Amino acid sequence: MSNDMNRWAVAIRDSDRPAYLAIADVIAEDIQSGRLSANQRLPTLRKLAKALKRNFATVARGYAEAQRRGLIDSRAGSGTYVREMVRSALVRRAAPGLIVDMTMNMPPEPRDRSLLQRIRDGIISMAGDGDPYALLRYQEFGGAPEDREAGVRWISRDVPGLTGARVLVCPGIQSTLLALCSVMAGRAGDSIACEAVTYPGLKGIAAQLGIRLIGLPADDDGIDPEAFGALCASDLPKALYVNPTLNNPTTAVMSQTRREAVVDIARRYSVPIIEDDPYGCLPARRPAALAALAPELTFYLTGFAKCLGAGLRIAYVVTPNARYSARLSAAMRTTSVMAAPLMVHLASRWIDDGTTRAMTLAVREESRLRQQIAKDVLRKAQYISKPEAFHLWLMVPEPWSRIEFATHLRSHGVGVVVSDTFTVTGPAPNAVRVCLGGPADQNECRHTLEIIEDAIEQPPAMTFRGM
């Protein structure tokens, strides 16, 4: 391998990466090109250190990095070899220095030019709308009547029969959820029931307010009604929190039968329901909202962060009655004063001119395309998802642990979220959430999923021991 080592020495010298990473990179490149083949023996550490004019520790660290990537194996008493099952795909990485963020559950961004222009036009046109000071003054919390009516028009597809009196315009779902939890469970130690694997924002709110979260078992049809009923009989919670449509993180959609059963139990024990529905606008068909089944019990939350973009911090909450609207408004005034009038005005405009609907349809279609890419690429993977979701729930195969798997992916430029972040009760499943909306386009989405598939196909490398 004398010629190879000379070539390696030049490549490592010219690389802008640390020498030990450059050593692993040249091994990967030679495997990919076919210059190194499976079971081929590599130079000893001392021989390679001498050829590269590098110290022994740097070369040992380079071999350790190549082994961690699954490229080589050390055989006691025999030497170091290219792994028998190594494939060229194993050396896929994100661009140097780049982390493709598949941790934030943001909608994919359709690149349709006419839609982008429509968004630009909507933002620009606000400058010509009447008195600009009207959008810079304090406004009544909950929105002006015309903005509440715009919210009614947006929500009425899922919650029919609404009036503006039951709708509040709020500054994002998270701050609304914080206020709701403080109203529902106002004393430290009060409990709220939820899925055993649930939205991590709820966990953060509960920790801040001193609320006990009680996780209920759930499957792809939603929470177990019998478990909910047993909890109500033994330790009545102050409220039930559910994310019933395209659940974050599992993508489960609570079935119509389960929804009806949960509503019956909530009525029996007078337990208020917090229905967090940021993804409800994405499926073409979905079961009836819990707020439609039990309007007298349900607080229904939705917004634009998951169908337009996280920067449009406007949400709507439907309350059971005027009394609860007043209590919630009072709680939210103390922390957020009001929703930003400029954003409220833009949201109402886009509801009325159809931009929100057009954007939702475009996000739905882009999500379907990315889910199809996932189906094509993740052939060896076990995961749960839905066509309109822009995330998936990936089961981590043995012998990987979820922590090792996520760390390995991060070292290859891909960020995912481990199940511990979402788990309320019981051991965390050996799973990670993968968000398909983070990659900039479908090509980047495919490439990052290929990196994930490569990791699934290869077990973690054995711990490096003095080669």
Side-chain angles (χ1 to χ4, degrees):
M1 289 189 62
S2 57
N3 289 336
D4 288 327
M5 286 191 286
N6 290 337
R7 180 168 43 76
W8 286 9
V10 173
I12 293 164
R13 182 196 66 201
D14 294 343
S15 174
D16 59 359
R17 287 159 65 80
Y20 80 96
L21 292 178
I23 290 170
D25 289 344
V26 295
I27 293 172
E29 288 165 8
D30 277 13
I31 291 171
Q32 190 171 34
S33 68
R35 287 190 289 264
L36 287 176
S37 56
N39 289 315
Q40 183 172 343
R41 186 174 182 176
L42 297 178
T44 65
L45 289 173
R46 296 191 184 279
K47 185 175 181 180
L48 185 58
K50 182 177 180 181
L52 299 181
K53 296 182 172 58
R54 302 281 173 174
N55 64 53
F56 182 90
T58 297
V59 175
R61 195 177 177 192
Y63 268 18
E65 171 65 16
Q67 187 170 16
R68 189 191 59 76
R69 295 186 194 178
L71 302 173
I72 63 175
D73 274 331
S74 175
R75 303 174 188 172
S78 178
T80 303
Y81 295 82
V82 176
R83 290 192 66 171
E84 183 175 1
M85 298 300 292
V86 77
R87 301 185 304 109
S88 61
L90 278 171
V91 300
R92 292 191 183 102
R93 300 178 63 86
L98 173 68
I99 295 293
V100 179
D101 190 359
M102 303 180 93
T103 64
M104 295 300 291
N105 212 25
M106 50 193 173
E109 298 176 353
R111 307 312 297 176
D112 180 86
R113 290 185 179 180
S114 63
L115 185 57
L116 289 171
Q117 189 59 49
R118 186 170 182 172
I119 292 171
R120 290 190 192 98
D121 291 343
I123 295 171
I124 292 169
S125 65
M126 286 200 306
D129 286 353
D131 179 8
Y133 281 112
L135 301 179
L136 297 176
R137 299 183 188 119
Y138 283 110
Q139 297 188 359
E140 179 183 356
F141 187 87
E146 59 269 23
D147 296 314
R148 295 189 187 202
E149 289 300 329
V152 168
R153 289 190 288 277
W154 177 244
I155 300 168
S156 59
R157 170 177 171 264
D158 298 312
V159 187
L162 283 181
T163 64
R166 290 182 57 208
V167 175
L168 296 176
V169 186
C170 304
I173 287 180
Q174 186 67 13
S175 61
T176 308
L177 187 56
L178 172 63
L180 263 177
C181 288
S182 68
V183 168
M184 296 291 100
R187 297 180 180 178
D190 284 349
S191 66
I192 291 179
C194 61
E195 295 100 341
V197 177
T198 194
Y199 168 53
L202 178 68
K203 292 178 64 179
I205 289 171
Q208 181 176 339
L209 298 178
I211 293 171
R212 287 187 300 127
L213 291 183
I214 303 176
L216 298 172
D219 56 25
D220 202 45
D221 285 330
I223 65 171
D224 181 348
E226 291 187 5
F228 178 43
L231 174 66
C232 290
S234 62
D235 185 11
L236 188 67
K238 295 293 185 179
L240 170 68
Y241 169 89
V242 287
N243 175 202
T245 303
L246 300 180
N247 174 274
N248 178 15
T250 67
T251 77
V253 176
M254 189 185 292
S255 68
Q256 183 71 26
T257 301
R258 289 277 180 95
R259 292 178 191 230
E260 292 170 356
V262 166
V263 162
D264 285 346
I265 294 166
R267 278 201 178 106
R268 188 186 317 157
Y269 291 96
S270 299
V271 177
I273 299 170
I274 301 172
E275 182 175 11
D276 189 2
D277 200 31
Y279 311 100
C281 61
L282 294 174
R285 291 186 175 182
R286 50 164 287 180
L290 279 77
L293 298 174
E296 79 284 4
L297 283 178
T298 307
F299 295 83
Y300 178 86
L301 284 73
T302 191
F304 293 128
K306 304 304 182 184
C307 60
L308 281 171
L312 189 62
R313 307 302 300 170
I314 294 298
Y316 303 96
V317 57
V318 178
T319 64
N321 53 50
R323 181 173 62 88
Y324 271 126
S325 293
R327 288 180 63 189
L328 182 59
S329 295
M332 294 201 71
R333 277 195 204 96
T334 63
T335 57
S336 56
V337 183
M338 63 181 179
L342 278 166
M343 285 191 178
V344 175
H345 184 69
L346 183 61
S348 296
R349 170 187 285 274
W350 278 347
I351 290 171
D352 290 339
D353 70 13
T355 299
T356 52
R357 183 62 178 160
M359 189 66 175
T360 298
L361 294 175
V363 168
R364 177 192 296 171
E365 181 58 25
E366 182 69 17
S367 297
R368 284 176 173 167
L369 292 172
R370 295 191 183 204
Q371 288 288 351
Q372 185 59 51
I373 291 171
K375 184 177 180 180
D376 294 342
V377 172
L378 300 178
R379 295 183 179 276
K380 299 290 181 66
Q382 180 185 355
Y383 68 90
I384 303 168
S385 195
K386 301 292 186 295
E388 300 95 344
F390 41 78
H391 67 280
L392 53 87
W393 188 234
L394 178 69
M395 307 300 115
V396 176
E398 293 183 349
W400 285 111
S401 74
R402 57 193 177 278
I403 304 296
E404 289 174 327
F405 188 72
T407 302
H408 171 85
L409 291 179
R410 186 132 192 119
S411 73
H412 284 65
V414 180
V416 298
V417 186
V418 296
S419 60
D420 307 68
T421 305
F422 310 93
T423 302
V424 173
T425 301
N430 202 34
V432 296
R433 188 190 68 182
V434 180
C435 301
L436 305 182
D441 56 33
Q442 292 176 32
N443 288 333
E444 186 175 74
C445 183
R446 179 178 293 276
H447 180 66
T448 52
L449 288 170
E450 286 171 345
I451 294 171
I452 293 172
E453 174 70 357
D454 293 340
I456 289 169
E457 289 189 357
Q458 293 291 333
M462 295 173 61
T463 302
F464 171 73
R465 295 182 177 90
M467 286 185 275

